[in-house]
């Protein structure tokens, strides 16, 4: 705890209150101790039989209990075209004349004229849209595989 936190807490906790003191490094440059969470290994993305070589800032990532996939590289490697409709904040994903829509501000997508809920909101990062892995299971002919030990996602498509 920082000194100002101890002073604040002192005025709220009665004298004699039992406390437990744990020792853990904190981010305090004055003490020279920097606590860093270990970074998880990067997640590999395989589309078909091709391991995508994505820039570090476009790698799949974990968001809570969900795996988020960068939409553009994954979709384009499966032959989809993406169109961003700025006025509606919607991304259209097109293949063989069939359109799928993702509302980037909601957990909704429209596939083959039917609305579906996504398990979590899409997210924007470094000018890219990330969608939950489960989104790809909604597209015709695509199945997803997640190998947690290898930290590898495979998108299999026809």
């Amino acid at each position: 705890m920082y000194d100002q936190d101890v002073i604040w807490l002192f005025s709220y906790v009665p004298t004699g209150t039992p406390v437990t003191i744990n020792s853990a490094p904190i981010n305090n440059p004055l003490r020279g101790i920097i606590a860093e969470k270990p970074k998880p290994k990067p997640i590999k993305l395989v589309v078909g039989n091709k391991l995508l070589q994505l820039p570090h800032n476009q790698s799949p990532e974990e968001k809570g209990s969900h795996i988020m996939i960068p939409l553009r590289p994954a979709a384009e490697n499966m032959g989809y075209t993406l169109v961003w409709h700025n006025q509606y904040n919607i991304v259209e994903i097109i293949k063989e004349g069939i359109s799928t829509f993702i509302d980037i501000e909601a957990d909704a997508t429209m596939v083959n004229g039917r609305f579906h809920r996504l398990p979590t909101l899409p997210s924007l990062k470094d000018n890219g849209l990330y969608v939950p892995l489960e989104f790809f299971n909604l597209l015709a002919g695509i199945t997803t595989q997640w190998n947690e030990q290898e930290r590898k996602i495979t998108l299999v498509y026809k």
Side-chain angles (χ1 to χ4, degrees):
M1 292 177 72
Y2 293 102
D3 292 341
Q4 68 266 20
D5 297 326
V6 173
I7 293 167
W8 175 87
L9 188 58
F10 180 81
S11 62
Y12 288 95
V13 178
T15 303
T17 300
V19 296
T20 302
I21 299 174
N22 293 317
S23 175
I26 58 173
N27 291 331
N28 184 344
L30 298 175
R31 295 184 187 189
I33 300 172
I34 299 175
E36 289 186 23
K37 287 184 180 179
K39 292 182 181 178
K41 290 182 181 178
I43 297 172
K44 300 174 203 157
L45 179 59
V46 177
V47 176
N49 293 322
K50 179 182 175 186
L51 173 63
L52 299 187
Q53 299 297 323
L54 299 171
H56 176 69
N57 65 347
Q58 288 185 358
S59 295
E61 58 187 38
E62 294 176 87
K63 177 183 174 187
S65 62
H66 301 285
I67 306 292
M68 303 299 285
I69 308 295
L71 179 61
R72 182 170 299 282
E76 287 179 348
N77 275 279
M78 291 186 286
Y80 287 86
T81 302
L82 275 64
V83 178
W84 189 287
H85 298 284
N86 288 329
Q87 67 272 30
Y88 304 112
N89 280 332
I90 291 176
V91 175
E92 183 177 7
I93 305 157
I94 307 163
K95 186 173 183 181
E96 299 172 358
I98 298 172
S99 292
T100 297
F101 300 90
I102 299 175
D103 183 338
I104 66 164
E105 296 177 339
D107 61 352
T109 183
M110 187 171 78
V111 181
N112 294 328
R114 298 183 67 188
F115 282 98
H116 298 271
R117 290 269 179 227
L118 297 173
T120 190
L121 292 171
S123 59
L124 289 171
K125 178 184 161 205
D126 295 327
N127 295 323
L129 180 65
Y130 282 67
V131 295
L133 176 61
E134 295 87 348
F135 165 76
F136 291 97
N137 289 323
L138 297 172
L139 299 175
I142 298 177
T143 56
T144 61
Q145 300 167 353
W146 164 238
N147 183 321
E148 190 168 354
Q149 284 184 320
E150 295 181 30
R151 294 188 57 80
K152 179 176 80 172
I153 296 162
T154 304
L155 302 178
V156 181
Y157 66 99
K158 295 177 186 176

